[in-house]
Amino acid sequence: MLLKFRYLYRAFRYRLYVDPAELRFVSESLRDGQTAVDIGCHKGAYTYWMRRRVGPSGAVYAFEPQPEQVAYLRAAFSAMSYDNVEIVPLAVSDHVGAMTLHVPAGLGK
């Protein structure tokens, strides 16, 4: 239950205080049944609003390369019973290949 609360708190904090203009744009741009892509979804605040906007007939692909964040997202999305969100544990780039992901200490927490 605490995980669900933390996830919802973050989503609403982003909507109201952190990125209101950006999330308004996302909401106005997406329609029921569409597919949305959240690149670098971190803790999933944008994913929450994208999922709500595309509805049960739509889909959201959430790309996140940080293993700790992927584990958090899997737990949060499972707790929220999301069935139209797919977590893709990869980074997105205009180059093909592998790179080392450098995460500053404490950033992913």
Side-chain angles (χ1 to χ4, degrees):
M1 185 58 119
L2 181 60
L3 180 62
K4 287 171 101 172
F5 176 76
R6 286 176 50 203
Y7 178 71
L8 290 171
Y9 171 78
R10 176 176 299 278
F12 277 88
R13 186 170 60 88
Y14 268 69
R15 179 69 183 243
L16 298 173
Y17 303 110
V18 178
D19 290 337
E22 292 84 347
L23 285 165
R24 185 173 33 258
F25 174 79
V26 166
S27 181
E28 292 170 356
S29 299
L30 292 172
R31 300 286 175 254
D32 286 342
Q34 288 186 319
T35 298
V37 178
D38 188 354
I39 297 174
C41 72
H42 191 57
K43 292 192 177 178
Y46 277 64
T47 305
Y48 175 83
W49 297 106
M50 289 176 172
R51 181 189 174 279
R52 283 184 53 136
R53 190 63 187 107
V54 301
S57 63
V60 178
Y61 293 91
F63 287 81
E64 178 53 54
Q66 294 183 62
E68 286 182 13
Q69 293 307 114
V70 170
Y72 165 80
L73 292 167
R74 285 189 173 136
F77 295 168
S78 176
M80 300 297 288
S81 300
Y82 287 175
D83 55 359
N84 65 340
V85 176
E86 183 174 336
I87 300 167
V88 183
L90 298 170
V92 176
S93 174
D94 63 345
H95 291 80
V96 175
M99 294 184 71
T100 301
L101 178 65
H102 298 279
V103 180
L107 184 64
K109 306 285 186 227

